[in-house]
Amino acid sequence: MTRKKIVAGNWKMNLDYAEGVSLFSEIVNMVRDEKKGDQIAIICAPFIHLNSLAQLGGETVKIGAQNCHQNESGAYTGETSAKMIKSVGCEYVIIGHSERRQYFAETDELLAEKTVIALQNDLTPLFCIGETLDERNNGSYFDVLKSQLVHGVFGLEAADFSKIVIAYEPVWAIGTGLTASSEQAQEVHAFIRAEITTKYGIDIAEGTSILYGGSCNPKNAAELFAQPDIDGGLIGGASLKSRDFTDIVKTFNS
């Protein structure tokens, strides 16, 4: 089964409205002119940008949010629902980014609820898992990753699980300049796919896109994406530069 190749940019809490529209316009034009393949390009932007970017992106660059609330609606001041996100033209939403887990104490159980509500609103979750430097160094990272999968998304029925994308984030390589070697990244991606196989079977496992999310840039993208179980990237800092992001997308040019 051919898996979708995906390059998803995560702008995090950067860019005011005018800056975001300007950068996105550059990205759309460059991707439209230079992408030669069926890879999917996505920008996950702050909430203030989503409506405008969805109108600019068309089929060239898809739009995603960086978070959603676990309830459909209600008295949750300052929160944004999956229904709202979908209504402005988004197709994707990041769930469980390491920064949400670390700074906002989001648990696997909460993220499981967010995943369900995203799917109910026809959004594709980009579900993030990953280990810290301590967990990497003490050898517990496979147990950590398995627990995040089991408690976060393995409660889904097979039909729903087949709609999500997994993003592996070695937390120790985010914003630090450190990058997992292609061998380290492949080892973890293969482990994740094996766990999906055990839970849901080979067909769903082989159809699930697993992205690498640890300081991916134009210099290391080709080596990472050449690994058999790495299907693209969740891109942080490089997505804030139109040339860098487009060059990463072009890694998959056929």
Side-chain angles (χ1 to χ4, degrees), residues 50 85 104 118 127 162 181 212 220 236:
L50 297 180
I85 293 166
F104 300 95
F127 189 88
S162 67
S181 68
Y212 174 74
N220 61 26

Side-chain angles (χ1 to χ4, degrees), residues 6-10 12 97 167-170 172-182 185 189 210-226 230-241 243-252:
I6 299 170
V7 177
N10 175 17
K12 306 189 179 184
H97 192 281
Y168 165 60
E169 307 178 288
W172 47 273
I174 298 174
T176 63
L178 299 173
T179 305
S181 68
S182 57
H189 281 240
I210 307 175
L211 311 183
Y212 174 74
S215 296
C216 184
N217 59 62
K219 294 182 179 179
N220 61 26
E223 182 178 352
L224 286 164
F225 295 175
I230 299 179
D231 304 307
L234 180 60
I235 314 300
S239 70
L240 296 170
K241 300 176 181 178
R243 180 73 273 159
D244 285 359
F245 182 74
T246 303
D247 284 348
I248 296 171
V249 172
K250 287 168 60 181
T251 303
F252 285 120

